[in-house]
C-alpha cells in the first residue's frame, strides 16, 4: 500500500545542509499498526510529512497504492490527501477563528457530507473524546490536551484509509492518553492503517510493528510480541 | 515567597462559564522543587499563567515576596516578570522570524547584558541542550523537541528566581527529556525555585513536593519521599 524507496530529504539552512532522511526504504501494508520512535530531531516528523503528502523527497520514490505520488502536482497531492489520509500534527494546526466543533466539521464540509450527517458525527466524536461541553470554544480557549483531542477528532472524522499521528498523546494525562489510543486502535481493528510517532514507550510498544529512526535512518524494524 | 489566597479564575465563553481555578490556596517557599500533575483541562496552565503574572485572578490574592501583585498595572507586572520569573510555555511561543540563537539572546538584550557576555552564555547553553549546530535555524526549521529545548534555554538564560515550566519534556524522547530535567534540577540546587507541570509520572515523582490538581482545585499536596 505504501512503498518508500531510497527516500532522501535534505534541508538547506544558509550554507549548512541537514540530511533529515537518508535513503529510507519502507513498505507498509494496508491495515498495519506501526509505531515510530527515536530521538528528538531524528527525522520522524519529516518522514510523516512525506508519507502524508505534505512534503516531497529530494530523491527516491513514494508509491501509494502502486501509484508514484512523488510526481503528482500540488493539486493532485492535495486531492489524494483529502481522499485517503488523516493527519494529526505534532502541533495540531487548528484554525484559530473556528470553534472546536467547526474545526472538526471542516473536512466533512469539504467532502460534501450533508448537514445532518455532519452534526451526528460531530456529536458522536465529541462525546468519545469527552469534549461535548467545549464545542463552542475556540483554540485559544482550550487547554493543550483539549486541542490535541480536537485535532485527533478532525483527523479521524472522514474515516481515512491511513492515519498518521505525530505524537498524539504528548499533552495528555495517562487517562485521556489511554482513551485516545483506544479510539485509534478501534479504528485500526476496522481496517485503518495506523502509524503513530511517539516518545512514549508505553504507547510505542503496543503497536504490532515498531520502527526506530536515528539520524534519518531506520535503525530497527520489529514485528510481533515485544 | 509565593502565596495564593482563595484564587479564582473564571472564563466566559458565550453564555457558558468555566471555573478553571476554584478558590486555590498555595504557599511556595524560595528554592522549592514542585511538580504539578492532573488531568487534561484541570487548570494547570491557568495556575501557571497566574503565578507567572501572565494572567490575573478574578477573585483572591497573589503575594509575591510579600507584595500584592494582583493589583499591579500591566507594566509593573511585566517588569516584575522580566526581573524574577522564567517561563517555559506549553507551546513555546518562540519568535518565528528570529533564529534559535536570537530567541535565546532576546531576554539578555532587554536586560542590557553586554554583547560578549551574551555570546558566551548562548554558546554555553546551546552546548548544554545539544543544539550548537542549530543556532541559525528558525523555528519552522526545527523539530518539536528542538523548539522545546530552545524555549527552555530562553527561559533559564537570565537565571530567574522562579522557573515555571509547562510540560517541558512533552516533545522529548527519554534521553533528551532526562538531560533537560537534569539541567533544571541543577539550577534548583543552586537556589532556583522550580515548578514543573507535567503529565509524565516519572518526572513528576522526582520533585520534592508533588501537587495534584483536579477540576480547578488542589486535590493532593505531598512532600518528601514518594
Ligand atoms: N524546514 C527545515 N529546514 C531545516 N532543517 C529542518 C527543517 N525541518 C526539520 N529540520 C531538521 O531536520 C531534522 C529532523 O527534523 P524532524 O522534525 O523530522 O525531527 P523529529 O524526529 O520529528 O524530532 P522531535 O522528536 O523533536 O519532534 C532536525 O534536526 C531538524 O532540525
Ligand atoms: N481563555 C479561555 N477561555 C475559556 N476557557 C478556557 C480558557 N483557557 C482555558 N480554559 C478552560 O479552562 C480549563 C483549564 O484549562 P488549562 O489550560 O488550565 O488546563 P490544563 O490543566 O493545562 O490542561 P492540559 O493538561 O490539557 O494542558 C479547561 O477546561 C479549558 O477549556
Ligand atoms: Mg517531530
Ligand atoms: Mg496545559
Amino acid at each position: 500500500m505504501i512503498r518508500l524507496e531510497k527516500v532522501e530529504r535534505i534541508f538547506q539552512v544558509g550554507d549548512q545542509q541537514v540530511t533529515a532522511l537518508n535513503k529510507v526504504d519502507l513498505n507498509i501494508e494496508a491495515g498495519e499498526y506501526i509505531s515510530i520512535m527515536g530521538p528528538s530531531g531524528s527525522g520522524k516528523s519529516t518522514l510523516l510529512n512525506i508519507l502524508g503528502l505534505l512534503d516531497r523527497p529530494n530523491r527516491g520514490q513514494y508509491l501509494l497504492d502502486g501509484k508514484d505520488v512523488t510526481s503528482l502536482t500540488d493539486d493532485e497531492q492535495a486531492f489524494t490527501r483529502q481522499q485517503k489520509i488523516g493527519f494529526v500534527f505534532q502541533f495540531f494546526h487548528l484554525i484559530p477563528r473556528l470553534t472546536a466543533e467547526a474545526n472538526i466539521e471542516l473536512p466533512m464540509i469539504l467532502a460534501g457530507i450533508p448537514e445532518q450527517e455532519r452534526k451526528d458525527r460531530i456529536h458522536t466524536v465529541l462525546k468519545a473524546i469527552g469534549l461535548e461541553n467545549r464545542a463552542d470554544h475556540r483554540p485559544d480557549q482550550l487547554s493543550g490536551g483539549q486541542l490535541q483531542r480536537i485535532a485527533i477528532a478532525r483527523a479521524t472524522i472522514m474515516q481515512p484509509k491511513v492515519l498518521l499521528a505525530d505524537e498524539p498523546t504528548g499533552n495528555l494525562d495517562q487517562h485521556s492518553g489511554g482513551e485516545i489510543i483506544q479510539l485509534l486502535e478501534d479504528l485500526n481493528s476496522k481496517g485503518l492503517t495506523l502509524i503513530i510517532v511517539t516518545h512514549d514507550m508505553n504507547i510505542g510498544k503496543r503497536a504490532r510493528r515498531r520502527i526506530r529512526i536515528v539520524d534519518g535512518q531506520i535503525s530497527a524494524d520489529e514485528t510481533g510480541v515485544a
Side-chain angles (χ1 to χ4, degrees), chain A:
Chain A
M1 180 197 202
I2 285 174
R3 189 178 195 89
L4 298 183
E5 292 177 351
K6 299 216 179 334
V7 157
E8 292 183 47
R9 185 69 181 97
I10 299 161
F11 294 111
Q12 194 76 34
V13 178
D15 54 9
Q16 185 191 1
Q17 249 192 10
V18 179
T19 300
L21 294 177
N22 191 356
K23 301 202 195 72
V24 172
D25 296 318
L26 184 60
N27 286 353
I28 297 173
E29 314 269 313
E32 286 205 66
Y33 175 10
I34 298 174
S35 66
I36 299 177
M37 300 189 73
S40 170
S42 58
K44 306 178 297 297
S45 294
T46 302
L47 176 61
L48 235 58
N49 288 339
I50 285 172
L51 289 174
L53 299 174
L54 294 159
D55 191 15
R56 296 170 189 271
N58 298 79
R59 293 200 194 97
Q61 204 172 209
Y62 174 12
L63 296 151
L64 180 62
D65 289 338
K67 190 177 174 191
D68 180 2
V69 289
T70 357
S71 55
L72 294 180
T73 65
D74 284 355
D75 281 353
E76 288 168 331
Q77 281 205 342
F79 183 74
T80 308
R81 213 159 55 232
Q82 188 207 353
Q83 289 287 312
K84 297 187 175 186
I85 300 169
F87 206 115
V88 185
F89 297 90
Q90 193 166 357
F91 300 107
F92 324 145
H93 299 181
L94 295 172
I95 297 176
R97 294 183 193 216
L98 298 183
T99 61
E101 177 167 346
N103 263 289
I104 294 168
E105 192 177 22
L106 194 54
M108 292 189 283
I109 291 176
L110 294 174
I113 308 267
E115 184 176 8
Q116 189 52 51
E117 167 76 8
R118 298 200 307 262
K119 293 307 178 205
D120 291 346
R121 281 205 219 178
I122 290 168
H123 182 74
T124 303
V125 80
L126 281 176
K127 215 155 167 293
I129 60 178
L131 292 175
E132 315 99 289
N133 52 9
R134 292 288 181 277
D136 298 331
H137 285 231
R138 289 182 164 69
D140 65 349
Q141 296 169 320
L142 292 167
S143 80
Q146 291 169 343
L147 293 171
Q148 190 146 41
R149 283 177 270 166
I150 299 298
I152 288 160
R154 179 181 67 172
T156 52
I157 202 80
M158 285 297 297
Q159 292 150 7
K161 291 183 63 180
V162 186
L163 183 72
L164 304 167
D166 201 343
E167 318 246 10
T169 63
N171 287 283
L172 295 173
D173 55 279
Q174 209 79 344
H175 179 68
S176 327
E179 289 188 334
I180 284 302
I181 293 302
Q182 199 62 62
L183 196 151
L184 298 180
E185 290 179 354
D186 283 350
L187 293 173
N188 174 247
S189 69
K190 292 174 191 154
L192 171 82
T193 306
L194 178 60
I195 300 165
I196 299 181
V197 165
T198 183
H199 280 308
D200 188 333
M201 207 61 197
N202 293 323
I203 290 172
K205 68 187 189 200
R206 295 175 67 94
R208 280 190 300 276
R209 180 177 172 190
R210 295 161 305 280
I211 291 173
R212 185 158 182 80
I213 292 186
V214 179
D215 288 335
Q217 296 190 301
I218 293 177
S219 65
D221 187 344
E222 303 172 351
T223 302
V225 179

